[in-house]
Amino acid sequence: QVQLVESGGGLVQAGGSLRLSCAASGSIFSISAMGWYRQAPGKQRELVAISTSGGSTNYADSVKGRFTISRDNAKNTVYLQMDSLKPEDTAVYYCNAIDRDPTTGWGYDYWGQGTQVTVSS
């Protein structure tokens, strides 16, 4: 089992910045991808940004140029630097990790508990 612990959410004014962190711990095989999703009230959970173990990243169009995802593979930690925040970025942000068993190739999907980000106008 892998546990994901998130931190860094909060309340910020529009145009401000926040940095989210998510650390994976427990019985880890090999984290192949880590990313961030968000869910606003009444909306479906959506991908914000993802980072693979190979170093590639992918962002939602709505956050490109404003958010930056980074990883510390040695610490199994992923970060999300959020700049130029907008009220529409308000949501619960969830950390996600895929832990892959190198023997079987199976991937196990884990989620954090979520951290609230609120951007006031």
Side-chain angles (χ1 to χ4, degrees):
Q1 282 285 342
V2 174
Q3 295 79 43
L4 301 178
V5 178
E6 301 145 338
S7 61
L11 173 65
V12 66
Q13 288 188 332
S17 299
L18 283 174
R19 187 184 192 224
L20 305 182
S21 299
C22 172
S25 63
S27 300
I28 297 172
F29 289 115
S30 177
I31 302 291
S32 61
M34 294 188 81
W36 293 93
Y37 290 72
R38 67 187 181 186
Q39 187 167 18
K43 294 187 177 181
Q44 289 188 328
R45 190 173 297 188
E46 62 176 1
L47 172 70
V48 176
I50 191 167
S51 172
T52 70
S53 58
S56 63
T57 57
N58 192 33
Y59 296 90
D61 288 342
S62 59
V63 307
K64 283 181 180 177
R66 300 188 298 120
F67 290 10
T68 304
I69 189 170
S70 60
R71 280 176 67 173
D72 184 335
N73 290 327
K75 296 181 179 179
N76 286 317
T77 299
V78 66
Y79 306 94
L80 185 69
Q81 178 66 41
M82 304 185 292
D83 299 318
S84 302
L85 282 160
K86 303 175 181 180
E88 51 263 44
D89 295 317
T90 295
V92 177
Y93 283 69
Y94 295 92
C95 177
N96 173 260
I98 298 174
D99 186 29
R100 196 166 299 279
D101 184 339
T103 302
T104 64
W106 294 348
Y108 299 87
D109 202 22
Y110 295 97
W111 293 90
Q113 78 283 0
T115 184
Q116 177 70 46
V117 171
T118 303
V119 184
S120 63
S121 57

